Amino acid sequence: MSLRSPVGRVLGLGSAGEGVAHWWTLRVTSVALVLLGLWFVFALIALPDRSYETVTAWIREPFNAVMLSLLVGTTIYHSLLGVQEVVEDYVSDHGAKIVTMLALQFIHVILGALGIFSVLRIAFGSAA
């Protein structure tokens, strides 16, 4: 016995199927953030001091610059997925939901670009 309506069966309407992908992406980015966060904490602990010169020299190393860029990008993407879920669950007005999602996506893209740009600017030695 199917719970789908006859019209739904004929038209092939049903779940959009995007919920599982969203759920898995949140889990994968969570695991990535744990690993990148542990790397970041242990790398900072291993520094001899936390002076500006020491930290910028550390960021200038290619491996560290790439890892920091991955940390920033993954954090921003995970944050976007999380707030998207909150908006979808708690904003009932369709127009407000669309405007809010567009604004949040714009803000997250800007923040991610600024974060990665900052890391690359230091990595390529043009930080003052």
Side-chain angles (χ1 to χ4, degrees):
M1 177 176 159
S2 174
L3 297 177
R4 295 178 67 188
S5 69
V7 175
R9 281 194 297 272
V10 169
L11 296 177
L13 300 176
S15 170
E18 295 178 5
V20 173
H22 188 93
W23 185 86
W24 267 110
T25 306
L26 271 171
R27 295 327 178 260
V28 169
T29 56
S30 295
V31 170
L33 283 174
V34 167
L35 297 174
L36 289 167
L38 288 172
W39 164 80
F40 185 66
V41 168
F42 287 125
L44 287 181
I45 290 172
L47 289 176
D49 62 71
R50 303 321 168 270
S51 67
Y52 178 80
E53 293 77 21
T54 303
V55 174
T56 53
W58 176 76
I59 294 173
R60 284 189 182 110
E61 296 176 21
F63 178 78
N64 294 333
V66 169
M67 294 296 283
L68 278 173
S69 297
L70 286 173
L71 179 63
V72 169
T74 305
T75 302
I76 292 295
Y77 187 52
H78 183 79
S79 171
L80 177 62
L81 292 174
V83 295
Q84 177 182 350
E85 193 167 311
V86 170
V87 169
E88 288 172 352
D89 288 347
Y90 295 107
V91 178
S92 58
D93 181 54
H94 187 66
K97 187 182 294 189
I98 290 174
V99 169
T100 303
M101 285 305 304
L102 286 174
L104 287 171
Q105 287 181 356
F106 180 74
I107 290 167
H108 278 85
V109 167
I110 293 297
L111 289 175
L114 286 172
I116 293 172
F117 174 76
S118 298
V119 170
L120 294 177
R121 184 171 176 189
I122 293 170
F124 291 123
S126 62

